[in-house]
């Protein structure tokens, strides 16, 4: 995991292809202060209309670590990780930097394991879908993961009825 003291953060790009340093938002998320606003800002910094950057990838292990420490089922964690990982291979998004690959991919596997344990603690459809999305992606079922995240039950039923 890229240390929060590492100078590389200041040269990473985010979702807008501009330099983006999510460390202050990660610290705010970890503190538990104003999490709704913090998540809103993190979403904008790390994922925008399918665009992600190196800062997005570097933030994932930290988001997973924060989630693990908080011990609260939060759909944002699963959804943002699934969105970032789904976007990684789309469009003109950059590859995960070589120095980050191991920690990035291990954090997705860790989040899937946490999700398997947490899924029984929530009845919120959005949280269940986001958790299942990460589990599917971690097992190589990227398309299934995207569908779980992107489409609600009624939308899938509508698609199915048209077949």
């Amino acid at each position: 995991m890229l240390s929060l003291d590492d100078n590389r953060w200041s040269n990473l790009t985010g979702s807008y292809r501009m330099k983006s340093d999510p460390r202050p938002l990660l610290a705010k998320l970890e503190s538990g202060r104003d999490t709704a606003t913090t998540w809103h800002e993190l979403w904008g910094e790390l994922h925008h209309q399918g665009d992600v950057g190196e800062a997005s990838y570097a933030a994932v292990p930290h988001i997973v670590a924060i989630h693990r420490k908080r011990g609260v089922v939060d759909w944002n964690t699963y959804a943002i990780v699934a969105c970032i990982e789904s976007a990684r291979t789309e469009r003109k998004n950059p590859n995960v930097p070589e120095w980050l690959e191991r920690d990035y991919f291990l954090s997705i596997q860790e989040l899937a394991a946490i999700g398997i344990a947490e899924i029984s603690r929530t009845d919120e459809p959005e949280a269940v879908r986001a958790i299942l999305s990460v589990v599917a992606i971690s097992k190589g079922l990227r398309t299934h993961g995207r569908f779980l995240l992107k489409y609600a039950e009624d939308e899938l039923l509508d698609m199915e009825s048209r077949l």
Side-chain angles (χ1 to χ4, degrees):
M1 183 159 52
L2 182 61
S3 167
L4 294 175
D5 297 330
D6 196 301
N7 290 332
R8 286 181 278 189
W9 283 101
S10 41
N11 292 316
L12 299 178
T13 58
S15 62
Y16 291 95
R17 307 278 192 257
M18 298 173 7
K19 287 185 181 181
S20 174
D21 186 347
R23 288 180 293 181
L25 293 172
L26 293 171
K28 196 172 173 186
L29 184 65
E30 188 168 27
S31 77
R33 295 185 330 259
D34 197 13
T35 56
T37 301
T38 305
W39 272 118
H40 179 75
E41 293 174 13
L42 270 170
W43 274 98
E45 288 288 320
L46 303 179
H47 181 273
H48 179 71
Q49 296 180 351
D51 292 336
V52 295
E54 294 93 354
S56 310
Y57 305 139
V60 165
H62 290 278
I63 290 169
V64 172
I66 292 166
H67 182 83
R68 182 179 5 91
K69 288 177 194 170
R70 289 185 68 216
V72 175
V73 179
D74 188 336
W75 78 272
N76 279 291
T77 300
Y78 295 97
I80 200 166
V81 170
C83 281
I84 290 168
E85 174 53 15
S86 293
R88 178 180 60 82
T89 57
E90 300 296 319
R91 305 161 62 117
K92 296 179 181 177
N93 290 320
N95 293 326
V96 177
E98 205 172 291
W99 50 264
L100 179 60
E101 280 181 348
R102 181 179 179 279
D103 292 332
Y104 173 78
F105 291 111
L106 281 175
S107 68
I108 293 170
Q109 295 301 316
E110 179 184 0
L111 186 60
I114 293 168
I116 290 167
E118 286 186 342
I119 200 163
S120 65
R121 294 186 3 224
T122 185
D123 291 323
E124 295 178 33
E126 295 81 14
V128 171
R129 287 182 20 238
I131 291 168
L132 290 173
S133 177
V134 168
V135 171
I137 289 168
S138 77
K139 294 298 185 182
L141 301 171
R142 297 176 66 79
T143 302
H144 291 82
R146 277 196 310 273
F147 268 72
L148 281 162
L149 194 62
K150 190 172 182 176
Y151 299 105
E153 182 79 14
D154 58 333
E155 293 171 305
L156 289 173
L157 289 171
D158 183 53
M159 282 186 234
E160 184 180 50
S161 72
R162 295 176 199 212
L163 295 176

